[in-house]
Amino acid sequence: MFTGIIEAVGKIVAAEPNGGDLRLRVQSNDLDLGDVQLGDSIATNGVCLTVVELPGDGYWADVSVETLDFTTLRQWKVGRAVNLEKALTPTTRLGGHLVSGHVDGVGEVISRHKDARSERFRIKAPSELARYIAHKGSITVDGTSLTVNAVDGAEFELNIVPHTIEKTVIGTYQPGTQVNLEVDVIARYLERLLLGNDAASADGSKKGIDIAFLAENGFYRR
């Protein structure tokens, strides 16, 4: 698990195809790797990767086909900047929110403009994720824990302060940039829980939660 508070920005220095998937090397002189061991997890632009080698100035990780298919990682080239965060410990301050490092989908930056000293970003999420994104709720964008400032269908807005612009890869975003999205884990589990016994059926996972379902189960009064 992670908090979504970025510790350092690293860069991709090698991306080697390996048996149908990928072997990735990430370099960072700013991330303290002194307490990292082989098998530990590091969120890399929001993707939980397992450390398989520690060359001293970064780490190597293996990337599965599943990860390549459901994240922006297939687009990564040598030289790309990436957000980095080590897995949290029992004594870590939870400054963001609970983040699993399991990307739910890929979004696209629609617009970016100044808002006083901050900057306002509008991002379009995949339609199937829209129900998990709430005004003033939390969302993870490329591993960064952020607050949703507005929601319009599958699009949402973020107000990013100067510190976050400077210390994460968000400062590089332009319209058209694709980003890894992870919705609030509580929302995902709550939806599954509300399905009740239907969750065990083949069709249960496809039903989702709507007004009719909530009314039928006593959570909504017409």
Side-chain angles (χ1 to χ4, degrees):
M1 298 294 290
F2 307 90
T3 68
I5 303 300
I6 303 305
E7 297 180 81
V9 173
K11 68 177 179 179
I12 306 301
V13 293
E16 302 174 353
N18 187 8
D21 50 38
L22 192 67
R23 195 170 178 83
L24 196 71
R25 181 175 175 182
V26 181
Q27 183 183 67
S28 176
N29 295 320
D30 297 323
L31 185 68
D32 180 10
L33 297 171
D35 59 349
V36 175
Q37 300 180 1
L38 298 184
D40 284 354
S41 298
I42 297 179
T44 308
N45 258 20
V47 183
C48 178
L49 296 179
T50 300
V51 174
V52 296
E53 287 186 41
L54 285 165
D57 60 349
Y59 57 94
W60 284 89
D62 289 325
V63 183
S64 68
V65 173
E66 172 81 5
T67 300
L68 291 172
D69 286 344
F70 288 95
T71 71
T72 63
L73 211 149
R74 196 180 289 278
Q75 307 168 12
W76 295 4
K77 307 295 183 184
V78 170
R80 183 186 181 115
V82 287
N83 289 325
L84 303 177
E85 182 194 354
K86 295 183 293 185
L88 63 82
T89 69
T91 58
T92 302
R93 288 184 175 179
L94 190 59
H97 71 285
L98 288 175
V99 175
S100 68
H102 302 153
V103 174
D104 292 300
V106 174
E108 181 178 342
V109 177
I110 302 300
S111 64
R112 170 181 181 173
H113 65 268
K114 282 284 188 181
D115 187 3
R117 292 191 308 113
S118 299
E119 293 199 45
R120 197 108 173 160
F121 292 80
R122 190 174 182 90
I123 295 176
K124 184 174 183 179
S127 59
E128 63 270 20
L129 297 185
R131 64 181 180 269
Y132 303 114
I133 302 172
H135 180 230
K136 296 302 179 182
S138 296
I139 193 165
T140 307
V141 180
D142 279 342
T144 307
S145 172
L146 298 168
T147 300
V148 176
N149 295 109
V151 180
D152 180 13
E155 296 184 7
F156 62 95
E157 291 189 1
L158 305 166
N159 189 68
I160 310 298
V161 299
H163 177 84
T164 305
I165 293 285
E166 179 184 353
K167 298 297 183 179
T168 72
V169 301
I170 293 177
T172 67
Y173 291 174
Q174 298 298 331
T177 299
Q178 293 194 315
V179 294
N180 291 320
L181 301 178
E182 181 186 331
V183 299
D184 189 351
V185 65
I186 295 175
R188 280 189 282 147
Y189 280 113
L190 179 60
E191 179 183 54
R192 187 72 172 169
L193 181 64
L194 288 174
L195 287 173
N197 292 334
D198 285 338
S201 68
D203 293 334
S205 61
K206 299 177 183 179
K207 287 183 178 179
I209 304 298
D210 55 20
I211 293 297
F213 178 91
L214 293 174
E216 180 182 342
N217 288 274
F219 294 98
Y220 176 79
R221 185 170 296 174
R222 295 179 185 277

